[in-house]
Amino acid sequence: MSKTKFHLSSDDFYRVLLSDVQPYHMPMIFSNEGFYYAVKSNNKFKALSEEIDDNNDLRTFEVATSTVPYVYYINKNSHSLRELSLIHPYQQLKFVDFYNNYHSLILYYCKKSSFSLRYPAKRNSTVYSSRHKKIYEKIINEYKSEHPDLVSDDKIFKYASTFFSYRKYDFNYKFYESTEFVRLERKYPYLRMMDVARCFDSIYTHSISWAVRGKEYIKTNMPAPKNNSSFDEEFDKIMQSSNYQETNGILVGSEVARIFAEVILQEIDENIIKKLAAKNIYNNRDYTIRRYVDDFCIFATNQEQLETVSDTIVNELMVYKLFINSSKTKDYIRPFITNRSKNIIDLRRLINQQMSDILEKITSKDESDKATNYYYFPNKRLLKNPTRLSTRFLKDLKSYWHVEKELETGFSSYLLKTLNKQVLMFMEKLDIKQVDEDDFDFIINYFIFIFDLSLYALSLEPKVTQSFSFSRLILIMTRFSKVELEDYHEKFAHRIHTGLTDLLQNELSTNSAYMVERLNILLTLNDIGEYYLPSEEDLKNYIFGVNNSNIDYFSLITGLFIVKRKSNYSSIHSFIIENIKNKLQAFSEVKKSSEAMHLYMDSMSCPYISCDDKKAITKVVVEKFVSPNRQHTIIKEYVDFFSQYYWFVNWSEIDILSKLFRKQLRRAY
């Protein structure tokens, strides 16, 4: 199926807000879409990135120096966490200005190395929508939830990409499945895989100047005057100011951080080539390297050269205060088949084999009994008992899957991806008018079978990306069954409610690392229907963690989104309002805090907070900076202004599924 092409304005630098300054891994209702539209529609708000005079109603939010990022954690694997940071809105606008001024130099410094597998190649002017766009649009338009989305359908796909288009591979695994990898394998018998230990946490921000102008030059020359700053100095300055003037480590999660790292790593690549050439060891003859962000693949003609190249990489990284994680270094001799590769091959083979039996090809016929087309329908024999089928299916999968503790299995992500494709194919081809109503139960059983598999995949690796894929799959099936299989829908919805409740109770609620994943599951339950949400006491524990251990921006705003003003959740609503005030009160410098600013702006736009409560929340903010005699006027100005727009959450009954479709097109690397 061909993809649909959308043309974007490459000169719309505010698109940086939509793609390059936020982490991908956030609860599904959060994005910069509202912020983007507000900034573009109101010149007054652009003052966030400029000097603000004393009479401007945004004066409180001027930040003269640095800001504090909102730091949160997601599950990386079974034994470690990944720290992510949400940049302050003021700094996000600064990055817009930076891209506007230096986009050409970003491209120049990111295209020097032949080693890089992922680098910005040009400004993005064309976006391709999903190959399943038609069924997505049908689901959104015909299988609507109770929550219509104000964002029009054409915008579902339009603003999903990064500001730059990238080469060569958007995901690392695609390199290992490419013809390029096969060609290199034919040429070089030895392969070593290495990665930089805590790369983003270790980067020294001043090293951007070493990469651009040379370390020796920087060490022996005075910095340029502030009014004549260079690309590297400006990049250094904005990365520091976004991270509370820290020079050791850069913020993790945003695309702009990956670009910053890429500039440095590209220069290291070039230095490696020069150092090895001085030893008569030449790129593309004796060795070659492929690097995906901070992961190195070294191909060499013999063991001696492999060691020399590896040592040179280590030494050149050390110049930039970066170090190899020796525990993850792996060596291979041709053919290059890792345990992960073998597992993926086995997994694909089994899934394809098993899934081929689940759906049967049925010929559609017209009124004269003439064959017109075909569709897929669940195998009635196999799907009499979907639970037994899913149990057998998973047993077979596990027998093929040889898990190594030190490796990310990829089991869950691959299975969820496959299940999503299968269901979309089924819906695209199904002709519901050709199906007898007596057979609708088999479709429900098919959905239950898919749900059981996907729930197992998520519980095995409860990561944020998996939660997006899982939720998208569940909501697609739920929307379909609610409209097309109305009398049978309750059976499926009940199964979802039971399964997700068990997951929340047994897996997610006991570990604070699963906050984002937990909130995504709750948002999914909320979209299915209010009836399926847990009791007030359980919901409070799920949102804020056991003993209220996760009272922060994400949980407070997500809590408001779910409970709204529902009478059965009135105590949670009061709890949230009080804790918004307490949270803002606890910040010594509200205007510098990314968490505080995001929390305040979304609170002001929220229709589930009364005007009096908005004034009380604003009073907590302005009393730290405004004299008592001016507070009443300033409070009114702030409430009026920030209530005009939705900022980071669309409170107007956002359609979660359309949000997930847009997020799917802006996948993390």
Side-chain angles (χ1 to χ4, degrees), residues 111-124:
K111 287 195 288 188
K112 298 192 304 179
S113 170
S114 62
F115 295 167
S116 183
L117 293 172
R118 185 186 187 274
Y119 62 91
K122 63 178 182 179
R123 277 191 284 172
N124 211 352

Side-chain angles (χ1 to χ4, degrees), residues 1 129-137 157 420-421 424-425 428 664:
M1 185 183 298
S129 77
S130 169
R131 64 179 66 251
H132 298 292
K133 181 176 181 289
K134 280 188 177 181
I135 188 63
Y136 285 165
E137 288 180 337
F157 307 97
N420 268 276
K421 286 183 177 179
L424 288 170
M425 180 195 71
E428 284 177 325
Q664 182 184 13

Side-chain angles (χ1 to χ4, degrees), residues 588-650:
S588 58
E589 296 182 283
V590 173
K591 66 181 181 180
K592 286 190 175 184
S593 167
S594 177
E595 182 178 13
M597 288 308 309
H598 279 84
L599 179 59
Y600 176 75
M601 293 165 73
D602 276 337
S603 297
M604 291 301 100
S605 66
C606 178
Y608 313 121
I609 300 179
S610 69
C611 187
D612 287 343
D613 281 330
K614 288 181 180 181
K615 290 177 180 178
I617 291 169
T618 304
K619 184 176 180 4
V620 170
V621 172
V622 305
E623 65 184 2
K624 297 176 182 282
F625 311 103
V626 180
S627 60
N629 63 322
R630 294 192 61 201
Q631 283 182 16
H632 179 76
T633 302
I634 296 297
I635 288 171
K636 185 179 184 308
E637 288 179 359
Y638 287 175
V639 173
D640 289 346
F641 178 80
F642 284 104
S643 298
Q644 291 181 67
Y645 308 98
Y646 78 92
W647 300 107
F648 312 106
V649 171
N650 184 350

Side-chain angles (χ1 to χ4, degrees), residues 544 556 560 564 570-584 603 606 608-610 612-614 616-617:
F544 302 107
L556 289 166
L560 271 175
K564 299 177 174 60
S570 58
S571 68
I572 300 180
H573 185 276
S574 301
F575 176 87
I576 290 172
I577 302 301
E578 191 62 31
N579 275 279
I580 290 174
K581 297 175 190 176
N582 294 339
K583 193 80 177 175
L584 293 171
S603 297
C606 178
Y608 313 121
I609 300 179
S610 69
D612 287 343
D613 281 330
K614 288 181 180 181
I617 291 169

Side-chain angles (χ1 to χ4, degrees), residues 486-499:
E486 186 177 359
D487 294 339
Y488 297 81
H489 169 73
E490 183 62 31
K491 177 182 177 182
F492 182 48
H494 177 74
R495 183 61 164 258
I496 294 173
H497 172 258
T498 303

